[in-house]
Amino acid sequence: MKKEFYILGGMAGSSMDGLDLGLVRFQKLDHHWTYDLKKSGTVVYPESLRKKLADAPAYTHNQQEALDLIFGEWIGDEINKFTEKCRVDLLAIHGHTILHDPDKGRSWQLGDGHCIACRTGIATVTDFRSADIKLGGQGAPLVPFGDFELFSSYHACLNLGGIANISLRDLKLAGDIAPCNQVFNFYAQQLGHRFDNEGQLARLGTIDHQFINSLKTIPFFDQPFPKSLPNQFIPEKLLRRVAPKDGLKSYAYFLSSCLKKVPRGTTVMQTRGENPRMLITGGGAYNTFLMEELKTTLPQWDLQVPSPLIIDFKEAIIFAFLGLKKQRAEINVLASCTGASADSCSGEIHFPND
């Protein structure tokens, strides 16, 4: 029986920075999975491709299908460069989400899996959301299964990516909290920056309570878990009601207040008088201003920021793991985290010769 598996995980996040790739060696020891990140990197999108992905929601369906193939071929070519002379047993790729409307049974991630498999000659798992949606779930979040299996020493895993989402180990709950870097990057770009480096621009702003109150009227923020968000959830016209620097500072305050509502569910830790541990990853972990705001707002949590490799590539590691579980026909999505009627083994496997 095979003792180790080399899986390449790929994540095209909603921040649209590029494609995160992580080649991971998995081993199962004493009924527990271990991982070793052997190689990692982010492939920045060429500007022409980034613009197409950004504009894709306004494309016709035929144009979107054409971009699906173009993006799949680009992913395949970049993987070939990344994995040269590397052992790779399987690819597990989460493409760029162009549509996420689980209430209508739809979620579409660009990056055609068959194109990737044919381009690389390696079996490829994509479309991790559809099976869960068919069971009545949100098709998101997907990372909790990996959080609970691979990062079990933490009571919560908070990812501050394009969208902020959290997994709560003891309660076996998860969900999207609010848009995160999507909003911060929007305001930074109004000021001529790609992103707000360490939150320096936010420090120059003033909290706009009227803007925050307008965000609080959006029903999603009061809904219980499980719940998930589409890309570009907050209308641009609402974001433009506030000056960019004020928007950066105000939104950091608002996002922190949303996290304050998250339950701990760690009665053993509380009995010992210890704060439960929260792992923080994603680009927002580098936003010093946001992290200071979180520490002020969440004194009941022990916030822990890991090494840059885990900050940047945890989601790629987890999608590699979800792909491995799909290949083994084992559960990789939890109904308690998505609202589905049952756990599922999600994803579609594409073979290069099909």
Side-chain angles (χ1 to χ4, degrees), residues 6-175:
Y6 286 78
I7 317 294
L8 179 74
M11 178 65 184
S14 58
S15 295
M16 296 188 60
D17 299 325
L19 179 68
D20 293 332
L21 296 173
L23 178 58
V24 190
R25 182 183 68 182
F26 292 101
Q27 292 180 292
K28 195 169 187 179
L29 303 172
D30 298 326
H31 306 291
H32 295 288
W33 287 99
T34 64
Y35 73 90
D36 181 14
L37 182 61
K38 307 299 291 185
K39 185 178 181 180
S40 60
T42 298
V43 186
V44 178
Y45 297 140
E47 181 55 29
S48 59
L49 178 59
R50 191 204 66 78
K51 189 175 187 308
K52 288 176 182 176
L53 293 174
D55 294 342
Y59 284 6
T60 66
H61 186 70
N62 287 341
Q63 289 174 319
Q64 291 171 343
E65 289 188 327
L67 181 57
D68 188 27
L69 298 176
I70 291 170
F71 192 40
E73 292 175 349
W74 180 84
I75 291 173
D77 290 342
E78 293 302 325
I79 286 174
N80 283 336
K81 298 174 191 176
F82 183 85
T83 59
E84 189 177 5
K85 299 181 181 179
C86 295
R87 171 185 165 182
V88 184
D89 299 323
L90 183 74
L91 306 177
I93 308 298
H94 184 287
H96 175 72
T97 299
I98 187 176
L99 171 68
H100 184 69
D101 191 353
D103 291 339
K104 294 183 180 178
R106 299 181 297 177
S107 189
W108 185 12
Q109 286 70 51
L110 296 180
D112 183 83
H114 187 248
C115 279
I116 297 171
C118 289
R119 212 77 169 187
T120 61
I122 303 170
T124 303
V125 185
T126 61
D127 191 16
F128 286 93
R129 303 188 186 277
S130 293
D132 181 80
I133 290 175
K134 289 176 182 177
L135 291 170
Q138 292 281 307
L142 296 172
V143 296
F145 185 87
D147 285 339
F148 301 152
E149 291 281 329
L150 302 179
F151 298 91
S152 59
S153 63
Y154 298 96
H155 300 86
C157 292
L158 172 64
N159 185 65
L160 298 174
I163 293 173
N165 51 66
I166 195 167
S167 306
L168 301 167
R169 189 195 71 190
D170 292 1
L171 297 175
K172 289 296 184 286
L173 285 176

Side-chain angles (χ1 to χ4, degrees), residues 271-303:
T271 301
R272 294 175 180 171
E274 303 173 24
N275 285 342
R277 295 181 295 274
M278 180 187 290
L279 178 68
I280 306 211
T281 57
Y286 296 115
N287 186 325
T288 307
F289 179 79
L290 175 60
M291 290 302 301
E292 290 172 1
E293 190 64 43
L294 290 177
K295 288 177 182 177
T296 299
T297 309
L298 305 173
Q300 72 274 32
W301 288 94
D302 176 10
L303 306 185

Side-chain angles (χ1 to χ4, degrees), residues 1 35 50 58 92 126 131 177 196 199 244 256 284:
M1 183 178 291
Y35 73 90
R50 191 204 66 78
T126 61
I177 301 293
D196 185 7
S256 297

